[in-house]
Amino acid sequence: MADLSAFPISTRWPAQHPDRIQLYSTPTPNGVKVSIMLEEAGLAYEPHYIDIGKNETWIPEYLALNPNGKIPAIIDPDGPGGKPFGLFESGAILLYLAEKTGRLLPSDPARRYETVQWVFFQMASVGPMFGQLGFFHKFAGREIEDKRPLERYRNESKRLLGVLETRLEGRDWIMGDDYTIADISLLGWVRNLIGFYGAGELVEFDTLKRVPAWLERGLARPAVQRGLAIPARPE
């Protein structure tokens, strides 16, 4: 049985199944990347709900695993060299799990890096921009009289959706016929933009054709449906 005692987080969220990958997360657009990946890859894992509303990512036990104080993070009891291994940052975790399983990342070097570039596109552009747009539209729009921040993030979000719309011409998935971690990285953010943030009209989502069809295909996948609800909030 794996020994996770070197990780302080295991004292706050004890592992019932220490031989499984431990997932510390919340079903946000960043969090569901990893739960969807775990479901798609069929890996055994144990989810732990981290209540970001109660600032649980800022307690010492969590910061010992992720000093940036964000979700998600994982511990793989069977990491490199067969030793327990902790990892944070959703993009890094996607790459790690893809390479660990040999799934959802092309083996051809050129296509592999092409896939990785779209994951980085999500990490560097889509996530930050959609998140800021959501903040200024849903949460701070009434309090902040200066509308320039909202306009900036709206315009950039529309541009980024246009990049995806162009990329998906003649393709079912970001990498064509192959569903990959690039799609997984993006699905939750596009879904959140028009769902939780309610910004579909703001970014003129209905004028797009390929992105909505891609989103519908992705959300129809059983592993995606499961992953979007993991970890469940404790009752």
Side-chain angles (χ1 to χ4, degrees):
M1 182 174 292
D3 181 7
L4 305 182
S5 61
F7 297 90
I9 197 169
S10 66
T11 63
R12 174 61 179 81
W13 290 278
Q16 301 299 313
H17 305 281
D19 290 330
R20 301 178 185 178
I21 291 173
Q22 303 296 302
L23 170 64
Y24 307 93
S25 189
T26 310
T28 66
N30 283 331
V32 299
K33 296 177 202 173
V34 178
S35 52
I36 289 171
M37 179 64 185
L38 289 164
E39 289 290 329
E40 292 279 11
L43 288 167
Y45 70 101
E46 180 178 352
H48 302 274
Y49 183 87
I50 309 300
D51 195 333
I52 57 178
K54 295 181 179 179
N55 293 322
E56 288 186 337
T57 59
W58 298 109
I59 66 174
E61 294 89 343
Y62 192 90
L63 290 171
L65 179 59
N66 182 357
N68 193 36
K70 303 292 183 180
I71 59 93
I74 66 168
I75 298 174
D76 182 359
D78 184 25
K83 299 179 181 179
F85 176 64
L87 193 63
F88 66 91
E89 280 295 334
S90 57
I93 297 171
L94 285 179
L95 285 169
Y96 173 76
L97 295 175
E99 292 182 343
K100 178 183 178 71
T101 60
R103 298 192 59 188
L104 301 169
L105 182 64
S107 58
D108 173 75
R111 286 184 58 78
R112 179 184 185 277
Y113 279 107
E114 188 179 354
T115 304
V116 169
Q117 78 177 351
W118 285 101
V119 175
F120 283 18
F121 166 78
Q122 183 278 307
M123 298 291 292
S125 298
V126 168
M129 292 300 153
F130 286 14
Q132 293 288 359
L133 176 62
F135 173 78
F136 284 105
H137 176 60
K138 184 178 177 71
F139 299 109
R142 296 176 183 173
E143 290 78 11
I144 299 177
E145 293 183 5
D146 187 345
K147 300 306 178 185
R148 286 176 295 179
L150 176 62
E151 291 298 311
R152 169 177 169 77
Y153 293 119
R154 182 192 69 175
N155 291 339
E156 182 63 2
S157 294
K158 287 176 63 177
R159 188 190 71 80
L160 293 170
L161 286 169
V163 173
L164 290 176
E165 182 79 358
T166 299
R167 174 64 182 181
L168 288 165
E169 182 176 3
R171 297 180 174 93
D172 283 343
W173 306 108
I174 298 298
M175 290 301 296
D177 293 334
D178 298 325
Y179 171 82
T180 67
I181 58 173
D183 300 286
I184 292 174
S185 73
L186 287 157
L187 281 168
W189 274 108
V190 177
R191 171 180 179 263
N192 224 51
L193 181 68
I194 64 172
F196 178 74
Y197 289 147
E201 184 176 351
L202 194 66
V203 297
E204 300 177 356
F205 192 78
D206 288 345
T207 66
L208 304 172
K209 295 181 180 179
R210 303 178 196 112
V211 173
W214 161 85
L215 179 63
E216 184 176 355
R217 281 192 294 273
L219 295 180
R221 295 179 68 90
V224 173
Q225 295 175 19
R226 295 191 300 270
L228 287 171
I230 297 173
R233 179 185 290 271
E235 296 182 359

